[in-house]
Amino acid sequence: MFSEDRALARLAGAPTGKPRLLVVEDQIMDDITSLLEDEFEIVPAESFERWCELRDDGTLESIQAALIDRHLVKDRPDDSLGTIKVAEYLRLHTHIPATLMSVDVDCSANRQLELCQKYRLMDVIRKERNGRVNEDGLIAAARAMTDQSPRGRRERWRRSVDSVLFHVQQAELFGRGLGRQRLLTCEDERDAIVRLLGRGELEQAEARIARFTAEYGQSTAAAML
């Protein structure tokens, strides 16, 4: 009876044909939803508890990308790490690309790069500018994460392999790695994948990325425990 009602469609789990975008945000969710809902089906998580429910009920299987606020503070002012935990879970257990949002983005390019590598982020962006929602930044971030063109796929895959290598390097640095030779082998394989991506050999690159992530991503995660 109400087939055009988007809210009811989301409640019923009806597909809209749009990319499903997880948004973890506790203060300006309505603004972000209004901005992006014409292009994306928004799956909102307005608290860390709600995120846990979505994580546990299988919702993540249908998510194409995630916008994650860096701090959830509305209900728990001391929760400065809640959404970092979300980003870390997505890195370890899914292939979902994520972008971190914050009202206070670190100006250091090196610091932003480290965050992207550590949590396999596509970007770190300001969610607000001059007291208003950062429309251009949020739209660009959501589109980049769901871009199915060869360029969009290359960008996401490059972030993925760089993140795996970062964690292998960190594990070796802090004495939790699997040996210097394994690190060198990982670096060589990552470089080979980057060359494939640069030449546009996407099918070959995709297969090697799957093997690379399975071998080095999982072993590094185990070493970090």
Side-chain angles (χ1 to χ4, degrees), residues 1 4 8 30 45 63 67 84 86 115 164 168 170-171 182 191 211 225:
M1 291 178 65
E4 300 302 316
L8 287 176
D30 288 345
I63 296 295
L67 283 172
I84 288 296
V86 176
L115 280 172
V164 170
V168 171
Q170 291 296 107
R182 186 167 175 81
D191 291 345
R211 293 194 298 270
L225 293 176

Side-chain angles (χ1 to χ4, degrees), residues 5 112 126 139 154 161 181 202 215 221 223:
D5 190 308
Q112 288 198 36
R126 294 186 185 278
I139 291 172
R154 283 198 301 267
V161 296
Q181 185 55 51
L202 300 188
E215 180 171 359

Side-chain angles (χ1 to χ4, degrees), residues 50-167:
R50 178 56 181 156
W51 146 253
C52 291
E53 293 173 0
L54 295 173
R55 178 197 65 196
D56 295 339
D57 69 9
T59 296
L60 296 184
E61 295 177 7
S62 64
I63 296 295
Q64 277 78 58
L67 283 172
I68 306 170
D69 186 24
R70 188 170 182 179
H71 304 295
L72 290 174
V73 298
K74 181 185 289 185
D75 299 322
R76 298 165 58 184
D78 62 335
D79 184 14
S80 61
L81 296 176
T83 44
I84 288 296
K85 296 176 184 175
V86 176
E88 181 70 344
Y89 182 91
L90 294 180
R91 180 186 76 84
L92 287 172
H93 302 288
T94 79
H95 297 291
I96 298 170
T99 289
L100 202 65
M101 307 179 290
S102 178
V103 294
D104 184 24
V105 173
D106 194 322
C107 293
S108 166
N110 288 334
R111 176 59 177 153
Q112 288 198 36
L113 177 60
E114 181 180 345
L115 280 172
C116 287
Q117 292 176 332
K118 185 174 183 179
Y119 297 107
R120 204 198 68 210
L121 302 171
M122 289 295 293
D123 207 348
V124 181
I125 64 170
R126 294 186 185 278
K127 66 176 182 178
E128 294 178 293
R129 287 187 180 277
N130 302 319
R132 300 183 60 186
V133 65
N134 179 11
E135 296 185 0
D136 292 342
L138 292 169
I139 291 172
R143 287 175 176 171
M145 290 189 291
T146 55
D147 180 7
Q148 295 304 311
S149 72
R151 179 180 178 179
R153 293 158 66 195
R154 283 198 301 267
E155 288 294 319
R156 289 192 293 277
W157 289 343
R158 177 64 185 270
R159 288 292 189 188
S160 180
V161 296
D162 284 350
S163 179
V164 170
L165 177 59
F166 173 84
H167 284 278

